[in-house]
Amino acid sequence: LVLMVLLVLWVTSAPVRAAPLVSLSVYSGEVGTPLYVTGTGFTASVPFRTHFGFGTFYEVVRTGTVSQSGTIYDAFAVPEVPGGSYVVYVETSGTEFASSTFTVLPSVRLNKTSLLVGEGVVASGTGFGASRTITISVDTVTVAPAATNANGSFTGATFTVPETYRGSHRVSVTDNINSASTGIDVRQSAALSSNSGAIGSTVKISGTGFRASQTITIAYDDLLPINDQLANLNGDELDLIIETPGGSGEVAEDMVR
């Protein structure tokens, strides 16, 4: 009877170990995001396996050893996979496991973001659908089609900035399910039909990046006062200076002696 009482006391006082749990440092992000996996409640000092994308074609398996306190630590970058939700599954045996879910988000990058109208840009992206046609747009203007690979990524998609006004604009990429965007800054520019000519010559000016249907002002200003240009002359070259009626001029031509 005493033995039975002691046995009952031992059974009822034995600690109950909590079921294993897994947590993630973040639960969504783009391809390449650093991901830290923490597990608790596992058997100490035994091998473990971390599965990213458990049960899918894109599954990545990592291995390690549980700490003496029964804790698991693992860290890796989110692999190149299509956008969507993936199970992060940690196991030490067939009966000891835990899981969580991470969502891969689409993202787009450009090789430059400060641009002129007509300037070329190269886009790349990750986290879109696998082997899909995508559309690249600047604001509401479609500028280029492209296609993703089997991992939902694309590279080397080129387009030119369409005619628009200066300031901030959005470059959007979509496969009709997954979408991402990034910003660009469009700058103003102006060009002359000729950079030299005789007095009275006609010069045409063109420009981009200005506001639509607005009046613009074109002003002419000489480069340097005439006396400053004369002071810059040296003995190696003879500068031909054309003086304007206002008392200033600009260097029109360099003539080697």
Side-chain angles (χ1 to χ4, degrees):
L1 180 61
V2 173
L3 180 61
M4 291 179 62
V5 170
L6 291 175
L7 181 61
V8 170
L9 289 175
W10 179 83
V11 170
T12 56
S13 61
V16 177
R17 193 175 68 182
L21 295 174
V22 165
S23 62
L24 308 178
S25 55
V26 291
Y27 292 88
S28 64
E30 60 189 57
V31 170
T33 297
L35 185 61
Y36 300 90
V37 181
T38 302
T40 57
F42 290 87
T43 299
S45 305
V46 299
F48 74 84
R49 292 177 296 278
T50 302
H51 305 252
F52 182 93
F54 181 69
T56 71
F57 172 78
Y58 304 99
E59 183 172 353
V60 176
V61 181
R62 297 170 53 83
T63 60
T65 302
V66 181
S67 71
Q68 293 182 352
S69 63
T71 302
I72 287 172
Y73 297 104
D74 199 3
F76 53 92
V78 174
E80 184 186 356
V81 295
S85 296
Y86 294 85
V87 173
V88 180
Y89 182 87
V90 180
E91 61 174 336
T92 58
S93 66
T95 59
E96 195 173 59
F97 56 86
S99 66
S100 189
T101 302
F102 183 88
T103 301
V104 176
L105 304 176
S107 67
V108 59
R109 289 180 173 82
L110 307 175
N111 66 328
K112 47 190 171 182
T113 57
S114 180
L115 301 152
L116 299 174
V117 171
E119 190 169 354
V121 192
V122 181
S124 59
T126 58
F128 293 88
S131 304
R132 288 184 183 166
T133 299
I134 59 174
T135 301
I136 303 174
S137 303
V138 176
D139 295 333
T140 59
V141 179
T142 299
V143 292
T148 62
N149 60 21
N151 292 321
S153 303
F154 70 94
T155 58
T158 60
F159 65 93
T160 57
V161 179
E163 286 192 359
T164 188
Y165 56 87
R166 72 172 182 179
S168 299
H169 298 269
R170 301 298 296 179
V171 175
S172 303
V173 179
T174 182
D175 62 9
N176 293 323
I177 297 177
N178 304 284
S179 299
S181 67
T182 188
I184 60 172
D185 182 66
V186 175
R187 309 190 312 272
Q188 288 177 327
S189 67
L192 304 177
S193 59
S194 176
N195 292 324
S196 63
I199 294 176
S201 299
T202 299
V203 179
K204 295 182 179 180
I205 303 175
S206 59
T208 61
F210 295 86
R211 291 285 178 178
S213 304
Q214 299 294 310
T215 300
I216 62 173
T217 301
I218 300 173
Y220 171 80
D221 189 17
D222 295 321
L223 298 179
L224 289 172
I226 188 69
N227 291 334
D228 290 344
Q229 293 187 49
L230 290 172
N232 290 334
L233 295 179
N234 56 54
D236 298 326
E237 297 177 346
L238 175 63
D239 292 333
L240 178 62
I241 300 173
I242 301 174
E243 185 176 357
T244 63
S248 60
E250 59 186 18
V251 178
E253 182 180 0
D254 289 330
M255 300 176 62
V256 180
R257 277 185 174 177

